[in-house]
């Protein structure tokens, strides 16, 4: 049942949309999608662009959809929509985060070319709401089926959503711990410890001197798999370049904003857009939009930038380029 609902959502929110439509046009489509999930405006399940005054100021908040309980009036979650043919940006996330903070809602959804689930409950230590789920509009998707289970009216439960968020944080924590353990296993100290374990295992069968002699003839070594090692070495090179400020004679200075390459990559994967400002020695500059739709999690940020013809060795010197500034925000 849930997979059937998800496939209907894929049809209405993605497959059926031809060309670039406006947010107001997309609003009608999302209204229909909420109906598929069991939420109906006429039943009092949600409000469209409700206006909420901010204190004594003239400013007000107008989220696209505010989902609530029709029996108690309790606000449940907020939905912000963007044009389905335009990639979701960091600014869109900040806007949604603002609504969640003002309404004290732990969960919010962004709907555009994909669905993004955000969390701003007690587990979140970041400045804004954190992205805990991304669902592409692909039929028969397990992630899509889970989304329907979590956000359908008939099965909606804040407790289930909090468990979903806890699972996200647990997975992230495990990933960090795995990285720490890998680092320990491949360290020199651990190699010596491994030899001792081997000796203890064999001591009942062989003389200690025989074991020591055998161990002298072999290499006990744990190392990263080739793919993992390649990724680590690439990250080390990128980090070294960044720490040196890219100021060697053969290397063009490229500054990122955010400065951390891993954070820049994370935000670029979300926004799929960045802005490249090139500064010249004659004091002029120009800015170009970076369309990063083909950028993936394994892509090298600086390597991608340096592969551009104008930034290649020899070319940037001839063009009189002094430095390059690349930012997620315009």
């Amino acid at each position: 049942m849930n997979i059937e609902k998800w496939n209907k959502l894929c049809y209405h929110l993605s497959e059926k949309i031809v060309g670039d439509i406006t947010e107001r046009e997309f609003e009608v489509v999302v209204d229909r999608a909420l109906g598929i999930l069991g939420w109906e405006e006429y039943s009092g399940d949600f409000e469209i662009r409700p206006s909420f005054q901010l204190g004594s100021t003239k400013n007000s908040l107008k989220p696209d959809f505010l989902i609530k309980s029709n029996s108690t009036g309790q606000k449940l979650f907020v939905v912000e929509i963007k044009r389905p043919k335009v990639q979701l940006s960091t600014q869109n996330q900040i806007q949604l985060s603002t609504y969640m903070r003002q309404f004290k809602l732990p969960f919010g959804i962004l709907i555009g070319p994909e669905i993004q689930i955000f969390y701003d409950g007690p587990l979140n230590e970041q400045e804004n709401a954190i992205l805990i789920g991304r669902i592409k509009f692909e039929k028969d998707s397990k992630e899509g089926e889970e989304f329907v289970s979590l956000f359908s009216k008939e099965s909606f439960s804040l407790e289930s959503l909090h468990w979903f968020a806890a699972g996200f944080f647990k997975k992230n924590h495990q990933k960090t711990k795995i990285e720490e353990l890998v680092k320990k296993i491949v360290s020199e100290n651990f190699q010596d410890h491994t030899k001792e374990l081997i000796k203890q295992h064999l001591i009942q069968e062989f003389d200690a001197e025989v074991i020591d002699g055998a161990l002298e003839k072999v290499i006990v070594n744990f190392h990263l798999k080739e793919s993992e090692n390649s990724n680590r070495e690439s990250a080390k090179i990128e980090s070294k370049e960044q720490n040196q400020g890219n100021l060697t004679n053969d290397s063009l200075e490229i500054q990122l904003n955010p400065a951390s390459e891993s954070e820049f990559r994370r935000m670029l994967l979300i926004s799929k857009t960045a802005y490249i400002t090139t500064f010249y020695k004659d004091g002029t500059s120009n800015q170009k939009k970076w369309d990063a739709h083909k950028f993936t999690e394994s892509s090298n940020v600086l390597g991608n930038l340096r592969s551009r013809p104008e930034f290649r060795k020899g070319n940037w010197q001839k063009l009189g380029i002094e430095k390059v500034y690349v930012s997620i925000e315009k």
Side-chain angles (χ1 to χ4, degrees):
M1 184 65 176
N2 284 341
I3 200 66
E4 182 181 349
K5 286 183 179 180
W6 171 250
N7 289 341
K8 285 182 180 180
L9 291 179
C10 287
Y11 175 73
H12 288 290
L13 294 173
S14 181
E15 294 175 26
K16 192 177 179 181
I17 297 173
V18 180
D20 188 12
I21 64 175
T22 65
E23 283 187 21
R24 284 301 177 92
E25 291 172 322
F26 193 44
E27 181 182 288
V28 177
V29 180
V30 174
D31 189 326
R32 185 180 298 118
L34 287 172
I36 293 173
L37 293 174
W39 308 98
E40 298 288 354
E41 183 183 14
Y42 81 89
S43 297
D45 294 328
F46 63 82
E47 297 178 61
I48 301 178
R49 297 189 310 282
S51 181
F52 293 88
Q53 198 74 21
L54 287 176
S56 59
T57 68
K58 294 182 179 180
N59 297 325
S60 62
L61 293 176
K62 291 184 179 181
D64 290 325
F65 293 87
L66 181 63
I67 315 301
K68 59 183 183 178
S69 167
N70 59 11
S71 58
T72 66
Q74 178 190 2
K75 299 178 182 66
L76 301 176
F77 60 95
V78 65
V79 179
E80 189 66 11
I81 65 173
K82 299 300 171 185
R83 287 156 52 202
K85 298 299 181 181
V86 178
Q87 291 299 315
L88 297 172
S89 69
T90 304
Q91 193 58 42
N92 300 151
Q93 297 179 352
I94 293 174
Q95 183 181 12
L96 175 66
S97 182
T98 300
Y99 295 147
M100 293 169 67
R101 288 278 166 95
Q102 288 295 326
F103 301 141
K104 294 181 174 57
L105 294 174
F107 298 97
I109 300 174
L110 265 179
I111 302 179
E114 64 179 12
I115 294 177
Q116 296 182 354
I117 304 172
F118 286 83
Y119 169 78
D120 193 30
L123 297 177
N124 181 30
E125 297 178 352
Q126 294 190 12
E127 182 179 355
N128 294 305
I130 186 171
L131 176 64
I132 62 171
R134 297 176 64 177
I135 307 99
K136 297 180 183 297
F137 290 117
E138 297 173 350
K139 282 191 171 181
D140 300 321
S141 161
K142 290 295 183 184
E143 291 80 8
E145 185 177 17
E146 183 177 27
F147 171 80
V148 171
S149 175
L150 288 170
F151 287 96
S152 285
K153 180 181 177 180
E154 63 180 6
S155 57
F156 183 81
S157 163
L158 283 174
E159 183 179 2
S160 296
L161 280 171
H162 280 290
W163 276 110
F164 177 76
F168 167 84
F169 284 97
K170 181 180 179 181
K171 185 176 180 180
N172 269 17
H173 180 69
Q174 285 179 337
K175 184 178 179 181
T176 301
K177 289 297 181 183
I178 288 173
E179 288 295 316
E180 291 175 355
L181 184 54
V182 167
K183 187 176 180 180
K184 181 177 180 178
I185 290 173
V186 298
S187 68
E188 290 185 12
N189 289 339
F190 196 81
Q191 312 306 321
D192 294 336
H193 182 61
T194 302
K195 286 186 176 182
E196 285 300 318
L197 291 175
I198 293 173
K199 189 173 181 178
Q200 290 174 24
H201 180 74
L202 298 173
I203 198 68
Q204 298 297 326
E205 188 176 354
F206 299 95
D207 184 78
E209 291 183 4
V210 172
I211 298 173
D212 289 336
L215 289 175
E216 286 295 325
K217 294 180 178 293
V218 299
I219 297 175
V220 179
N221 180 34
F222 288 99
H223 60 273
L224 291 171
K225 291 180 179 178
E226 187 175 347
S227 59
E228 289 288 334
N229 197 43
S230 177
N231 291 336
R232 295 282 181 90
E233 288 302 315
S234 176
K236 285 181 181 178
I237 292 171
E238 292 170 6
S239 177
K240 184 177 180 181
E241 283 185 341
Q242 189 172 335
N243 290 336
Q244 290 176 339
N246 306 298
L247 293 176
T248 63
N249 292 332
D250 295 330
S251 185
L252 174 63
E253 179 184 358
I254 299 179
Q255 298 178 355
L256 303 177
N257 183 18
S260 165
E261 187 162 352
S262 60
E263 179 64 12
F264 184 95
R265 181 187 288 106
R266 185 186 72 79
M267 294 179 69
L268 184 61
L269 287 169
I270 295 171
S271 67
K272 294 296 182 182
T273 301
Y275 296 89
I276 304 172
T277 304
T278 305
F279 295 88
Y280 296 86
K281 291 181 179 179
D282 62 6
T284 61
S285 66
N286 65 56
Q287 186 180 80
K288 292 182 180 179
K289 184 179 179 180
W290 178 6
D291 184 350
H293 285 84
K294 295 182 179 180
F295 194 85
T296 67
E297 291 185 3
S298 61
S299 297
N300 184 316
V301 177
L302 290 176
N304 189 297
L305 290 166
R306 294 191 189 285
S307 67
R308 294 169 176 263
E310 66 271 29
F311 298 155
R312 289 175 185 168
K313 182 179 177 181
N315 289 353
W316 64 269
Q317 292 95 330
K318 291 178 183 178
L319 293 171
I321 296 176
E322 187 174 38
K323 66 178 180 179
V324 176
Y325 176 78
V326 189
S327 176
I328 298 296
E329 300 296 336
K330 190 171 182 179

